[in-house]
Amino acid sequence: MKDFIYHAPTEVVFGKESEEQVAGLVRKYGGHTVLVHYGGGSAKRSGLLDKICGLLEEGGLKTVLLGGVVPNPRLSKVHEGIDLCRMKKVDFILSVGGGSVIDSAKAIAYGVPYKGDVWDFYLGKADAVECLPMGCVLTIPAAGSEMSDGSVITNEDGGVKLGYGTQLCRQKFAIMNPERSFTLPPYQTAAGVTDMMMHTMERFFSPEDDMTLTDAVAEAVLRTMKACVFDVLKDPEDYRARAQIMWGGSLAHNDLTGCGLSGDWATHQLEHELSGMFDVTHGAGLAAIWPSWARYVLQQNVSRFVRFAVNVMDVPNDFTDPVGTALKGIEAMERFYHSIGMPINIPELIGRDITEAEIAEMVRKCSHNYTVTQGRFKVLQPEDMTAIYRMAARQA
Ligand code: NZQ
Ligand code: ZN
């Protein structure tokens, strides 16, 4: 096991009516004038937004509203938020939404005290040294941003999607009421579960091979998510299953399943180019890439894929044929993706074939103009990225 620091400082307030505590939590973490940040309308339609604003105002807090965050959140909205926060002297940001809203809030929070352009952080040109405090009311379990140290922003100028992570942007609190996810459409539910499972798998497929306890936690998260997604697709108001999924999304990305591991993250990096170029749902993009990544890197550590096949995908272990067992695990994952409405290749994701020129452009961006590799389970050079995109470009 590698040495590690486990730091998950977010106060989680979980359960029915947990949002009732919002004003007290904002005050506890020093907020007076609160930017309430939200997305395209689901929080408005459900009445959650009005409820939160009412609770904040009753609690003696001033509110400033900024909605309109879209999935794959845009830099222009971040700039708008920074200007608004400065003008209104906002001292706390509250997100009501999912990963896109929380990531947009994180970028705004970095940008307010910074003299330059916040995009500098995402480009790696500068490091944030301060950040406004933040909390969130989660409405979609998926990205894990409510407990993660990362944020991912898309610059519309060139469709460039980049991540930036520091401890500064950890949410002070995360309010999680599983009932708030009852209204999620099946596609977002399935894409969310795909994303959280991938956050666990990115860590499971690490170069290290000596992490019994962390593996056991990871396998429990994966098996639970895999089972519960069918329950909520059948009955969107199944509180028990929605609750497992909501907590699972946080455990999958608060690094619990990564203690002692270096993680891989190539599938995420390859996917960010897909959602940057085609504006697709992140979780669905991951499903379109992972089977090709898995087949491409399989020989790197066959026994790890066998463990995944047997312990997660319930494939019988054929001890005479480890590669065959491993491949059956990948095929079982593809069947699982299809069964929850996820794609398993790029044409299924974007509804058409992808061109060689588009693949070349994604490889250029993913390798930062051919200067960086991706992944650790197998270190991917630009030619490996091309090969994986080409595999994913083929229909099954
Ligand atoms: O905008 P509204 O109207 O709210 O609709 C949203 C959106 O269309 C809808 N939605 C959310 N809660 C709902 C609901 N619809 C009905 N009922 C509800 N209760 O769901 C759609 C997707 O929301 P979004 O926030 O985009 O989803 P998600 O949480 O999957 O976030 C995706 C973003 O997070 C990034 C992704 O790249 C992507 O940009 N990620 C962030 C990470 C992080 N910060 O640590 C890690 C992840 O790997 C990921 O990259
Ligand atoms: Zn993800």
Side-chain angles (χ1 to χ4, degrees):
M1 190 186 273
K2 274 182 63 193
D3 297 349
F4 65 90
I5 294 172
Y6 181 62
H7 184 67
T10 302
E11 179 173 351
V12 174
V13 182
F14 193 97
K16 292 181 182 174
E17 299 186 16
S18 46
E19 59 268 10
E20 297 291 337
Q21 300 181 45
V22 68
L25 286 162
V26 172
R27 278 199 308 271
K28 175 173 172 183
Y29 291 105
H32 302 91
T33 304
V34 186
L35 180 78
V36 181
H37 203 29
Y38 60 98
S42 72
K44 240 185 193 167
R45 283 192 299 278
S46 69
L48 178 63
L49 189 70
D50 285 348
K51 180 174 182 183
I52 295 291
C53 289
L55 287 165
L56 293 174
E57 279 153 24
E58 276 167 32
L61 297 154
K62 276 194 215 146
T63 56
V64 177
L65 266 71
L66 180 61
V69 177
V70 294
N72 303 314
R74 309 295 201 266
L75 182 61
S76 56
K77 180 60 70 180
V78 170
H79 286 147
E80 188 185 336
I82 293 169
D83 291 344
L84 187 63
C85 285
R86 286 179 180 154
M87 194 167 66
K88 302 281 186 185
K89 303 208 173 350
V90 163
D91 57 13
F92 194 94
I93 305 182
L94 180 73
S95 299
V96 182
S100 294
V101 177
I102 302 170
D103 284 5
S104 179
K106 288 177 177 179
I108 294 169
Y110 284 131
V112 171
Y114 180 59
K115 294 212 167 20
D117 184 349
V118 69
W119 191 240
D120 290 349
F121 301 134
Y122 294 82
L123 286 173
K125 285 186 181 166
D127 258 317
V129 290
E130 54 183 326
C131 175
L132 286 184
M134 282 166 278
C136 64
V137 180
L138 189 68
T139 63
I140 168 171
S145 189
E146 68 279 5
M147 286 189 84
S148 83
D149 64 357
S151 63
V152 192
I153 297 295
T154 298
N155 186 341
E156 307 82 316
D157 188 6
V160 182
K161 184 171 180 179
L162 292 174
Y164 180 60
T166 74
Q167 295 301 330
L168 293 169
C169 77
R170 299 270 194 186
Q171 303 297 286
K172 299 291 182 202
F173 63 82
I175 291 175
M176 298 189 214
N177 177 353
E179 286 178 331
R180 293 295 171 188
S181 62
F182 286 179
T183 49
L184 277 173
Y187 189 78
Q188 289 299 337
T189 297
V193 168
T194 301
D195 190 20
M196 60 185 77
M197 288 179 73
M198 194 63 66
H199 294 156
T200 307
M201 287 150 66
E202 295 277 20
R203 293 168 166 105
F204 184 89
F205 290 102
S206 279
E208 300 81 16
D209 209 359
D210 60 346
M211 51 287 195
T212 315
L213 180 58
T214 303
D215 273 352
V217 176
E219 286 161 11
V221 170
L222 290 169
R223 293 181 67 88
T224 308
M225 296 308 104
K226 202 159 73 66
C228 287
V229 69
F230 292 114
D231 296 335
V232 298
L233 290 176
K234 221 179 295 154
D235 175 9
E237 301 200 2
D238 180 337
Y239 182 88
R240 185 203 60 83
R242 286 284 190 199
Q244 310 301 315
I245 291 175
M246 193 166 253
W247 185 221
S250 300
L251 294 190
H253 206 32
N254 73 3
D255 231 10
L256 184 67
T257 59
C259 291
L261 309 176
S262 43
D264 183 70
W265 299 103
T267 305
H268 263 74
Q269 294 304 327
L270 292 164
E271 192 291 323
H272 282 171
E273 305 315 332
L274 279 174
S275 42
M277 185 176 276
F278 299 105
D279 202 17
V280 291
T281 301
H282 168 63
L286 294 168
I289 288 289
W290 187 80
S292 299
W293 171 85
R295 288 194 176 88
Y296 191 79
V297 306
L298 171 65
Q299 291 298 340
Q300 208 67 23
N301 186 343
V302 174
S303 65
R304 199 104 201 101
F305 276 94
V306 169
R307 182 172 177 137
F308 178 78
V310 174
N311 290 4
V312 179
M313 302 311 296
D314 295 321
V315 171
N317 197 347
D318 178 352
F319 292 95
T320 63
D321 183 14
V323 171
T325 304
L327 283 170
K328 282 189 181 135
I330 299 169
E331 287 159 11
M333 196 67 189
E334 289 179 319
R335 283 195 299 278
F336 168 72
Y337 285 150
H338 270 166
S339 70
I340 60 169
M342 287 290 104
I344 60 166
N345 55 48
I346 297 173
E348 286 183 8
L349 175 72
I350 65 172
R352 66 160 171 86
D353 287 335
I354 188 168
T355 66
E356 269 296 310
E358 286 166 336
I359 290 178
E361 177 62 359
M362 290 197 296
V363 170
R364 184 186 69 73
K365 287 179 179 167
C366 196
S367 63
H368 301 194
N369 282 320
Y370 319 106
T371 60
V372 302
T373 59
Q374 295 294 355
R376 297 192 187 93
F377 186 78
K378 176 177 171 64
V379 175
L380 303 181
Q381 304 291 337
E383 52 272 26
D384 300 311
M385 300 172 201
T386 304
I388 293 169
Y389 280 134
R390 281 186 182 147
M391 285 168 73
R394 284 197 287 272
Q395 294 271 13

